[in-house]
Every structure is written in structure tokens, then in C-alpha cells.
Amino acid sequence: MAYSYDEKNIFAMILRGEIPNKTVIETAHTLAFEDIQPQAPVHMLVIPKGAYVTYDDFAARASDAEILDFTRTLAKICEMTGVSADAGDGCRFISNAGTHGMQEVPHMHVHLLAGRPLGRLLDPAG
Ligand code: 5GP
């Protein structure tokens, strides 16, 4: 079964320039911007410019150039912001997918969170 992409989702609107965003970095295939409701001192969203719904959709269908660009841009942002576990205190990458993943915006994105201890990965209470 193939994912169906909703062109009206909010990140598609950001990519079309219909909604403003606080851009951190933009490359040929990738855009990173500040989350509108930050949950940590550093909270950015890294998205591919292509129409992919979830990370697995991106991983399955994106071109090598898009995947390389996305991955290297993620590394560049960690370097720029000094949050890597190597140079700084570490961070968390989260990519929610679908209903159980509690994904709100159906355009593939990775949250980059840092700047404070982030707790355990999952809330045992669900
Ligand atoms: P999800 O739950 O889909 O993984 O996360 C979606 C994220 O997008 C949320 O953290 C939310 O705060 C963020 N978000 C939703 N609408 C906007 C918007 O218009 N601009 C920005 N910058 N972030 C948004």
C-alpha cells in the first residue's frame, strides 16, 4: 500500500511559502526551522522538501540525493548548534509516524530536541 500525501498539510504550506517560518538552514532538498511550540530550549524540525508522509515513506521512496542531503543537513545542524553528544550534552531525534506515533503533521519530519535533560523516551502511562 502506498502513502497518500495531503498537499494541504501545514509543512507543505511552509514549503510553498504560504506560511512564514523561522528557517535554521535550507538546502537543495531539505528545510530546517524552529518548532512553533518548542518543548525544549532547542526544538527544530527538519523536513525534506519532497512530498513524503513519514520517515519510512521517505526512506523507501526518496532519491539517494534527497536522503544524503537530509542526513548531512541533520549533521550540519547538530554541528552548528553544538548539541551533538560529541561536542555538547546531546540531543534527541524523534520522527513520529501515523496514529500510534501521534503524528500531527503528515509531512515527514524529524524533531531535534536539546538544551535540557529530556527524560525517558516513552511515558510508561502512554
Ligand atoms: P508531530 O506531532 O507531527 O510529530 O509534530 C508536529 C510539530 O509541528 C509540532 O511540534 C508542532 O508544534 C509543529 N507545528 C505545527 N504547526 C506549525 C507551524 O505552523 N509552524 C511551525 N514552525 N511548527 C508547527
Side-chain angles (χ1 to χ4, degrees), residues 10-11 14 19-22 33-39 43 45 94-97 101-107 109 111:
I10 206 117
F11 294 171
I14 284 177
I19 295 179
N21 74 91
K22 291 189 182 163
F33 53 96
E34 306 283 356
D35 195 291
I36 205 165
Q37 285 191 302
Q39 293 181 35
H43 188 172
L45 298 164
I94 297 175
S95 193
N96 296 320
M102 307 285 278
Q103 181 180 12
E104 282 174 26
V105 181
H107 181 107
H109 52 280
H111 296 256

Side-chain angles (χ1 to χ4, degrees), residues 80-117:
M80 279 166 49
T81 50
V83 302
S84 73
D86 180 27
D89 293 324
C91 57
R92 181 167 293 154
F93 308 104
I94 297 175
S95 193
N96 296 320
T99 309
H100 282 192
M102 307 285 278
Q103 181 180 12
E104 282 174 26
V105 181
H107 181 107
M108 186 298 216
H109 52 280
V110 171
H111 296 256
L112 170 59
L113 296 141
R116 67 169 172 81

Side-chain angles (χ1 to χ4, degrees), residues 12-87:
M13 294 170 83
I14 284 177
L15 285 166
R16 289 194 296 266
E18 295 165 8
I19 295 179
N21 74 91
K22 291 189 182 163
T23 298
V24 176
I25 191 169
E26 180 170 7
T27 68
H29 297 293
T30 308
L31 178 70
F33 53 96
E34 306 283 356
D35 195 291
I36 205 165
Q37 285 191 302
Q39 293 181 35
V42 175
H43 188 172
M44 298 168 192
L45 298 164
V46 190
I47 71 173
K49 290 184 176 176
Y52 304 103
V53 181
T54 60
Y55 205 131
D56 57 290
D57 184 28
F58 175 73
R61 292 195 301 111
S63 67
D64 290 0
E66 289 175 297
I67 291 170
L68 186 66
D69 185 89
F70 185 87
T71 308
R72 293 279 197 256
T73 301
L74 199 68
K76 197 167 195 175
I77 296 166
C78 288
E79 192 188 339
M80 279 166 49
T81 50
V83 302
S84 73
D86 180 27

